Amino acid sequence: MTQKCPVSIEQEFEKFSSYSMTPAEAHDLIERARNKCPVPHSNELGGFHIFMNYEDVRNGLMDWQTYASSPSVLRPYQDDMPVFPPNSFDPPEHTHWRKIFTNGVNVRTPDRIEPLVRADTVELIEKFVERGECDLHLDLAEFVPMKAIFHVLGLEPELHETLRHMNMDLLAAVGDPKRFKELWAPFSEFGWKEVEKRKSNPGDDYLSVLANAELDGRPLTPEEVGACVISLLTAGHGTTIAALTNLFYEVLRRPELKQRLIDNPADIPLAVNEGLRLHHPFLGLFRRTTTDVEIHGKTIKQGESVYMAWEAANRDPAVTENPLEFDIDRPDFQHLAFGLGKHSCVGRMTALMEMRVVMEELLSRVPDIELVAPDKVVWEFHGAETQGFLELPARFTPRNRRES
């Protein structure tokens, strides 16, 4: 059945994008339009349609033949832009790339690096326990996911800060294609240099997988190695930072919930899962139609862009009650935080482990921690469609006072 979008809402969506709106504005517009304008259109970033209801987004993610990820899941896009494997490919190319990734990041990865992630978390907490205050974003969440990726890569500690800053600069330049391409080259050089080391001295790590990986019977090129390193970093760093700070925000402003998790750490995965449902690390990603599509009485032409708003789908009242509330006892349903189908997240289990470990150690070591000003928290977009906040001040009893 055809649904005509109200003119006022249609006009608001003309400027919809993560580069022209705040997350609060985007979420508000989506909720007002959900039942009135199910497939709106934006003129930003070359123009794109928006899927925001659960059924539409889920079907779009599963149907890679109609909604292709290539040539990129990000916008703006230029023909000579570097691409991110495996997410920017579709089968059959995607199949070969995904195998390379799953050889390096798989169900065995969480067990392999969990002791290292826990040690990193404890070390970071120990740096601020005597102060009686910290910023959970700057002092904890920003570092754990990056260190975890370094462990997956098998990267030497002295190179951690170099790669961290390279990654942050690259993500900030996603909206500037020229600058993005300039920053891509150093990644290729860095990744290739590390891979070359492992060709003669391989280890149990992702860089060693890349050193021995082949595409169509040939080794990876320096550009392809760089793309693989960047893909791992962009997929697992900013997203997990946002997921962690969102989780801290929801749990620590609810004293009863916080105490429940302290008393019953086995419930922490429930909180992690609900945090990912309610506050997705990014609002959505793009697809490209491979044929004309009819949906809700609207025609989307072949080759046009469609924005799959994953977070909006997770908040659809058609699939879960009171979707804007944080409820760890919510009846389970298949939320879309890690995608679905061919392009589902290969690092899902690793990310879940990281969030669980950080929350376990924080509540165990600083049980009286509370947020300083949760009502002043503001979500922002940070490039590559990621969203979160850059500060999350907290306070607690300094360790020396608690022990005296």
Side-chain angles (χ1 to χ4, degrees), residues 4-14 29 32 36-37 41:
K4 186 167 178 59
C5 187
V7 173
S8 59
I9 291 180
E10 191 172 27
Q11 290 174 338
E12 287 187 74
F13 268 109
E14 289 178 356
L29 180 55
R32 287 190 287 114
K36 301 175 183 177
C37 191
H41 183 270

Side-chain angles (χ1 to χ4, degrees), residues 251 254-271 326-330 359 363 367:
V251 170
R254 293 176 168 83
E256 292 183 3
L257 175 58
K258 185 185 76 169
Q259 191 60 49
R260 171 180 167 178
L261 300 184
I262 291 172
D263 297 337
N264 301 283
D267 287 345
I268 288 176
L270 297 176
F326 184 84
D327 178 9
I328 73 169
D329 296 314
R330 180 180 303 279
M359 187 57 78
L363 295 181

Side-chain angles (χ1 to χ4, degrees), residues 41 63 139 157 171 256 275 281 351:
H41 183 270
D63 186 4
D139 295 329
L171 285 178
E256 292 183 3

Side-chain angles (χ1 to χ4, degrees), residues 188-370:
S188 296
E189 296 171 7
F190 182 94
W192 184 251
K193 182 178 179 181
E194 292 304 308
V195 161
E196 284 288 291
K197 292 180 186 176
R198 286 156 180 81
K199 287 185 176 179
S200 58
N201 186 26
D204 182 20
D205 56 57
Y206 181 73
L207 288 170
S208 296
V209 169
L210 296 182
N212 295 288
E214 292 186 347
L215 277 176
D216 299 325
R218 62 165 178 80
L220 300 182
T221 66
E223 292 75 17
E224 289 167 342
V225 167
C228 288
V229 173
I230 293 170
S231 291
L232 184 65
L233 287 165
T234 54
H237 180 223
T239 53
T240 311
I241 290 175
L244 274 171
T245 49
N246 292 338
L247 181 64
F248 295 150
Y249 171 78
E250 293 294 351
V251 170
L252 298 183
R253 66 193 185 98
R254 293 176 168 83
E256 292 183 3
L257 175 58
K258 185 185 76 169
Q259 191 60 49
R260 171 180 167 178
L261 300 184
I262 291 172
D263 297 337
N264 301 283
D267 287 345
I268 288 176
L270 297 176
V272 170
N273 188 62
E274 176 67 352
L276 288 165
R277 180 203 67 82
L278 181 60
H279 297 296
H280 200 284
F282 53 85
L283 183 58
L285 291 175
F286 290 89
R287 297 291 191 267
R288 174 184 56 84
T289 54
T290 60
T291 186
D292 290 357
V293 177
E294 284 283 338
I295 181 166
H296 299 293
K298 180 177 185 178
T299 299
I300 300 176
K301 295 292 186 180
Q302 178 182 351
E304 293 187 332
S305 293
V306 178
Y307 189 69
M308 302 288 177
W310 298 14
E311 182 177 67
N314 288 338
R315 297 177 173 199
D316 189 345
V319 293
T320 188
E321 293 184 5
N322 303 315
L324 302 184
E325 295 182 6
F326 184 84
D327 178 9
I328 73 169
D329 296 314
R330 180 180 303 279
D332 190 33
F333 75 101
Q334 189 180 38
H335 67 63
L336 307 179
F338 293 104
L340 288 175
K342 296 286 186 183
H343 292 90
S344 60
C345 178
V346 298
R348 173 179 178 272
M349 300 306 296
T350 300
L352 291 172
M353 176 274 293
E354 292 174 44
M355 297 176 69
R356 170 181 57 80
V357 166
V358 172
M359 187 57 78
E360 286 174 355
E361 293 298 335
L362 182 68
L363 295 181
S364 172
R365 294 173 182 276
V366 198
D368 63 343
I369 191 167
E370 62 180 8

Side-chain angles (χ1 to χ4, degrees), residues 144-160:
V144 174
M146 181 61 80
K147 287 176 176 287
I149 293 172
F150 293 156
H151 297 317
V152 173
L153 287 168
L155 197 66
E156 294 88 343
E158 59 269 22
L159 297 174
H160 288 188

